[in-house]
Amino acid sequence: MEELYNIGLDDENINNIIETNKDILNISSEVIVSLINILKECNCSERIIRNIITSNPFYLNRDIIDIMNLINKLDSMSIRNLDVVFDTNPWLLDKDADDIDSYINESGKEFDDVINEIESGIIF
Amino acid sequence: MIKEYLLKIGYKEKDYKKIMSTPGVKDLTDEVLLYNICWNFVSLLSLGYPRRSVIKMTKKLSQLFGITYSNIENRFNDLVNLGYSKDSVRKMTTTLPQLYSISMEDNILHKIDDLKKLGYTYDEIIAMTKLLPQLYSFSINCIKEKIRNLKKLGYDEETVLFLTKELPAIYSMSIENITDKINLLRDINLEFVILSEPKQLIQSSKLTYARFAFFRDKNITINEDNYKRLFYDSKAFKKSFGISNDEILKLYHYEEYLQERKKKNGGTL
């Protein structure tokens, strides 16, 4: 759990995270560090990363490749400021790139409107 | 055999490895595991989950292959009997597949009782958990701690209940995040937004601050009459004010506001 302390989470937060997602205890430090680093590469401050992990502890269960694919998907849609997008909607990080494709196909919404929903945190 | 079957129905090699190392699954015989995979997969499909959701849920919670399909169907019906629509149950369990593995009596029903003791009605609990199924995974102590922290920020019990009913996601936010959002709205004289539209607390403080600073530089005072501008969706904001979130965030920096606030308060936020 050292990695979580390193981004400024305290005992209370970490206990709450573990309580919500007990699997965290089985996740290797390398994976946790990689998932945190992906968020840093998206320009997330430690403050925002703390919010993301506290709000959505299941982020730490995600497969690194799946998260990279999701970020590439958002990037390909020209969605910028992923730090703000994830800070507003940390649960977006539970989605896969193909969830977004399916939403675009099944909702019948214009591509621009889907981008707007993602940017504004009103999707998923 | 198991590997071939999983690959055939849409899983990847890495999913197979994860499933096979999951406690409660790894100890099953190949025969029982294959039977569970076949029946549970079909059972979830017949409950109306799209195939990709079934794969997602079982990747998230591979223990789903360690229980029988009748357990799955019974739990689905138990949740419907609590008052959720079938569609809500599908959404909730896709978000939190653990709803299939936690105990009905010791966890779900107990949590509902605990929340009632805190002052929520049954219908409010159902509505809140529909939006935030994770509430079932939080301990009652964690929930009480959030309430205590909100009270420390100056809200009475009735207000805390109101805020959390309107925006159950407050229970998933860290107190640091809630405090940041409330402090910002207080600093810019928009504290009334917290009570009039708690849902706006979901927006990132970084964006709220940048938009506020943008209007301040245009000599536009944001007040009770026009505060909604701060919370327009990105498309409406650009259309109304000619500037995108991206551009505005490059101009105005929330971190500088935090530093300034820290200085003013003698080193604390």
Side-chain angles (χ1 to χ4, degrees):
Chain A
M1 290 300 110
E2 203 53 41
E3 318 71 42
L4 298 182
Y5 286 110
N6 288 345
I7 54 163
L9 285 165
D10 60 18
D11 284 334
E12 187 192 321
N13 283 318
I14 293 176
N15 288 338
N16 289 340
I17 289 167
I18 294 172
E19 204 165 86
T20 307
N21 180 10
K22 293 183 179 62
D23 286 347
I24 284 174
L25 298 169
N26 303 319
I27 300 169
S28 72
S29 298
E30 290 76 18
V31 170
I32 294 179
V33 169
S34 300
L35 287 163
I36 289 172
N37 285 341
I38 290 173
L39 294 177
K40 285 183 180 167
E41 280 163 27
C42 294
N43 202 27
C44 292
S45 64
E46 287 195 344
R47 212 175 187 82
I48 289 180
I49 297 174
R50 288 197 290 273
N51 177 45
I52 291 169
I53 295 177
T54 312
S55 298
N56 179 14
F58 295 102
Y59 170 66
L60 297 177
N61 290 37
R62 294 304 315 270
D63 183 278
I64 291 166
I65 294 170
D66 290 344
I67 286 293
M68 296 299 291
N69 287 339
L70 171 70
I71 288 169
N72 289 338
K73 176 75 200 171
L74 296 171
D75 190 52
S76 74
M77 294 168 77
S78 298
I79 294 175
R80 305 288 172 248
N81 304 299
L82 290 181
D83 54 341
V84 170
V85 171
F86 296 147
D87 192 31
T88 300
N89 184 5
W91 302 278
L92 181 62
L93 285 158
D94 267 2
K95 302 294 167 191
D96 287 330
D98 62 359
D99 289 324
I100 294 177
D101 288 330
S102 305
Y103 184 74
I104 294 168
N105 295 333
E106 290 163 14
S107 67
K109 291 182 179 166
E110 295 287 329
F111 190 67
D112 272 3
D113 290 330
V114 174
I115 291 176
N116 183 45
E117 288 186 6
I118 293 173
E119 285 184 336
S120 310
I122 47 183
I123 194 174
F124 303 128
Chain B
M1 183 75 174
I2 291 172
K3 184 176 170 182
E4 285 73 32
Y5 184 72
L6 285 170
L7 295 179
K8 193 177 157 195
I9 59 176
Y11 293 87
K12 298 187 180 126
E13 171 113 21
K14 63 180 183 194
D15 305 328
Y16 161 75
K17 284 184 185 155
K18 187 180 174 239
I19 290 166
M20 295 308 284
S21 62
T22 300
V25 173
K26 65 179 178 187
D27 301 325
L28 299 174
T29 62
D30 281 3
E31 195 185 354
V32 172
L33 179 55
L34 189 59
Y35 179 87
N36 282 0
I37 291 172
C38 295
W39 277 102
N40 295 1
F41 199 92
V42 169
S43 168
L44 287 164
L45 288 176
S46 69
L47 289 169
Y49 294 90
R51 173 177 283 263
R52 68 169 191 285
S53 297
V54 176
I55 292 177
K56 222 173 154 114
M57 284 165 68
T58 49
K59 273 166 69 175
K60 246 187 191 177
L61 186 77
S62 301
Q63 282 91 339
L64 272 175
F65 288 137
I67 57 179
T68 65
Y69 71 91
S70 59
N71 288 143
I72 291 176
E73 289 173 352
N74 289 341
R75 176 54 53 87
F76 188 92
N77 292 329
D78 287 342
L79 292 170
V80 170
N81 289 336
L82 285 177
Y84 301 104
S85 68
K86 287 183 178 178
D87 194 42
S88 293
V89 172
R90 283 189 285 268
K91 281 184 184 149
M92 289 165 67
T93 48
T94 304
T95 303
L96 190 73
Q98 284 77 359
L99 285 170
Y100 278 116
S101 64
I102 57 179
S103 148
M104 189 69 189
E105 284 74 26
D106 295 344
N107 201 302
I108 297 177
L109 296 177
H110 202 249
K111 185 62 56 62
I112 291 174
D113 277 344
D114 283 339
L115 288 168
K116 275 191 201 163
K117 284 178 197 152
L118 290 176
Y120 300 101
T121 67
Y122 183 84
D123 287 348
E124 286 164 352
I125 296 164
I126 296 300
M128 286 165 70
T129 47
K130 212 184 276 184
L131 292 171
L132 187 76
Q134 292 90 335
L135 255 183
Y136 285 122
S137 66
F138 301 155
S139 75
I140 199 65
N141 285 337
C142 165
I143 293 170
K144 284 180 180 169
E145 187 58 33
K146 285 274 158 63
I147 294 175
R148 265 197 294 277
N149 284 321
L150 283 164
K151 284 184 179 169
K152 276 189 205 158
L153 287 167
Y155 299 105
D156 61 21
E157 192 150 326
E158 196 185 336
T159 309
V160 171
L161 289 180
F162 167 75
L163 292 175
T164 49
K165 276 185 263 182
E166 289 291 307
L167 184 65
I170 287 178
Y171 278 128
S172 74
M173 294 175 187
S174 68
I175 192 62
E176 175 190 42
N177 187 27
I178 300 168
T179 307
D180 281 351
K181 287 173 193 270
I182 290 175
N183 281 343
L184 173 61
L185 290 171
R186 283 177 174 168
D187 285 351
I188 60 178
N189 296 320
L190 296 179
E191 189 178 5
F192 64 87
V193 174
I194 300 163
L195 298 179
S196 60
E197 275 193 80
K199 285 189 171 71
Q200 306 294 12
L201 284 173
I202 206 81
Q203 180 166 289
S204 171
S205 296
K206 201 170 166 173
L207 183 60
T208 307
Y209 172 76
R211 286 180 170 183
F212 172 79
F214 166 76
F215 287 119
R216 184 192 56 201
D217 280 4
K218 298 262 172 222
N219 291 321
I220 296 169
T221 306
I222 296 295
N223 54 33
E224 210 149 342
D225 299 326
N226 62 6
Y227 74 92
K228 283 184 193 288
R229 293 174 175 188
L230 288 187
F231 304 101
Y232 278 5
D233 66 51
S234 62
K235 198 173 174 183
F237 193 88
K238 171 130 199 218
K239 197 176 167 197
S240 302
F241 308 109
I243 185 164
S244 68
N245 284 353
D246 192 29
E247 291 163 315
I248 219 166
L249 286 161
K250 279 183 186 140
L251 290 172
Y252 304 101
H253 304 117
Y254 177 62
E255 288 71 20
E256 286 170 13
Y257 151 81
L258 285 177
Q259 286 306 319
E260 200 58 37
R261 190 172 208 282
K262 208 170 173 180
K263 244 192 245 169
K264 256 192 218 165
N265 293 338
T268 56
L269 282 167

